[in-house]
Amino acid sequence: MMTFRDKTVVFNAPKVMGILNVTPDSFSDGGQFNKLDDALKQTEKMIASGATFIDIGGESTRPGATPVTLEEELDRVIPVIDAITERFDTIVSIDTSKSEVMLEAANHGASLINDVRALSQPGALETASRLAQEHNIPTCIMHMQGTPETMQDLPRYNSVVDEVIEFFRAQIERLTANGFEYKQIMLDPGFGFGKTLDHNYEILKRFDEFTQFDLPVLAGMSRKSMIGNLLNKGITERLAGDICVNTVASLAGASILRVHDVGEAADVSKIIEKLNQINV
Ligand code: 7PJ
């Protein structure tokens, strides 16, 4: 169970987070949803298909993507957040690393901070902590080795899972020492962020170990190269692989599935929920 401002979500099964990219260069639906009207249509469809969260991102973190200025990122995400919160009763998540974007997005109705850089950028920890304390807005802390510019150059670990768990432990310590309640933290091992194919599958195989903190764990594998490269499938051919990896993560205790294909993930969620209800 976790509360996002005034909305409580019970994780009796994995909940679905629909991805809404508002970047012109996003790798899987680039340029398609950058207009407000398209963003709203996409959002409406994702909510009707079973999304509990809508994750809005204005910065592409694909390997080698060019950084976006603060002004540009605000211009991309704030009008979309306004339009969505005006029309839909959903939990808006803001995918950003910038303190100012976190604050503005929250002022316009976002209820979850999703930071792939784990509150490492200037002012981010302070801002997210204030949002947690004043508005009960949780933060999702993601693991990444390196930076988006260089992370896929040569990822190296002694044990990727052990290092991610150590990272979670340190971050929980850091956030709770800086004003967060324990239950305002969500965890994410960061599939594809400074990980080889084998690292990603080791993380998936041992995903259950991340639940040891008794905090919700997010799985973000949608259309990523860990599926495409293994199966030799292009970006539009990864749906069966997506459903498979999301099923595996769900059985291992994932609380949130961050996906482009919401309807399929919602089906996974319903089947897992049914399994969870059976006591024999
Ligand atoms: C993730 C994310 C992820 C979280 C992206 C893409 C790349 N946020 N933002 N976890 N990935 N929390 O969607 O392919 O895995 S952007």
Side-chain angles (χ1 to χ4, degrees):
M1 181 164 114
M2 186 171 235
T3 307
F4 305 83
R5 277 184 210 268
D6 50 350
K7 290 194 175 77
T8 295
V9 175
V10 179
F11 295 110
N12 55 341
K15 299 299 180 191
V16 181
M17 173 182 278
I19 301 170
L20 185 65
N21 280 317
V22 290
T23 57
D25 61 349
S26 296
F27 102 108
S28 57
D29 53 3
Q32 218 177 325
F33 300 115
N34 48 3
K35 294 207 309 290
L36 201 58
D37 200 51
D38 289 344
L40 282 173
K41 284 200 183 102
Q42 176 71 357
T43 299
E44 184 173 27
K45 188 176 159 209
M46 290 197 290
I47 292 171
S49 304
T52 302
F53 304 87
I54 300 293
D55 188 43
I56 302 174
E59 180 211 12
S60 174
T61 46
R62 65 189 276 195
T66 41
V68 59
T69 65
L70 171 61
E71 189 175 289
E72 175 67 22
E73 196 176 332
L74 287 169
D75 283 351
R76 288 178 188 172
V77 301
I78 299 301
V80 178
I81 295 172
D82 276 339
I84 290 173
T85 52
E86 221 170 78
R87 291 168 180 80
F88 305 105
D89 183 30
T90 187
I91 299 174
V92 170
S93 159
I94 177 68
D95 188 342
T96 191
S97 298
K98 294 188 181 76
S99 159
E100 298 89 342
V101 178
M102 293 171 187
L103 183 61
E104 275 306 297
N107 285 341
H108 288 256
S111 302
L112 170 64
I113 309 296
N114 174 27
D115 185 1
V116 301
R117 294 182 185 81
L119 305 179
S120 68
Q121 298 302 291
L125 177 62
E126 294 73 13
T127 298
S129 166
R130 253 188 56 208
L131 295 172
Q133 293 176 72
E134 294 173 12
H135 303 289
N136 196 27
I137 295 178
T139 290
C140 180
I141 289 289
M142 198 195 78
H143 176 273
M144 164 161 50
Q145 185 179 82
T147 65
E149 294 72 36
T150 58
M151 64 190 180
Q152 292 309 106
D153 290 353
L154 194 72
R156 274 198 74 87
Y157 299 88
N158 285 321
S159 162
V160 64
V161 169
D162 293 352
E163 286 183 41
V164 168
I165 288 171
E166 228 7 79
F167 169 82
F168 287 160
R169 200 183 307 283
Q171 290 298 323
I172 292 166
E173 182 67 34
R174 172 175 172 252
L175 268 62
T176 52
N178 281 277
F180 276 82
E181 297 285 339
Y182 190 85
K183 288 284 180 182
Q184 291 175 326
I185 304 168
M186 186 184 288
L187 305 173
D188 179 349
F191 287 103
F193 285 86
K195 280 111 185 164
T196 63
L197 187 77
D198 281 15
H199 292 143
N200 286 316
Y201 280 97
E202 188 175 338
I203 287 172
L204 181 58
K205 181 159 187 169
R206 295 175 59 186
F207 198 90
D208 64 302
E209 296 182 39
F210 305 131
T211 63
Q212 66 182 270
F213 297 102
D214 200 25
L215 291 172
V217 185
L218 184 150
M221 294 178 277
S222 190
R223 300 181 184 172
K224 284 186 178 174
S225 53
M226 65 179 282
I227 296 160
N229 289 351
L230 182 72
L231 305 179
N232 200 15
K233 296 270 169 92
I235 204 75
T236 60
E237 306 173 311
R238 299 179 186 177
L239 185 55
D242 274 348
I243 296 167
C244 176
V245 295
N246 281 321
T247 302
V248 172
S250 297
L251 288 169
S255 288
I256 295 168
L257 304 173
R258 181 182 178 277
V259 298
H260 300 87
D261 299 289
V262 168
E264 288 77 5
D267 284 353
V268 171
S269 169
K270 283 180 194 154
I271 290 169
I272 300 293
E273 183 177 5
K274 184 67 182 171
L275 291 172
N276 287 344
Q277 286 164 354
I278 293 177
N279 292 303
V280 284

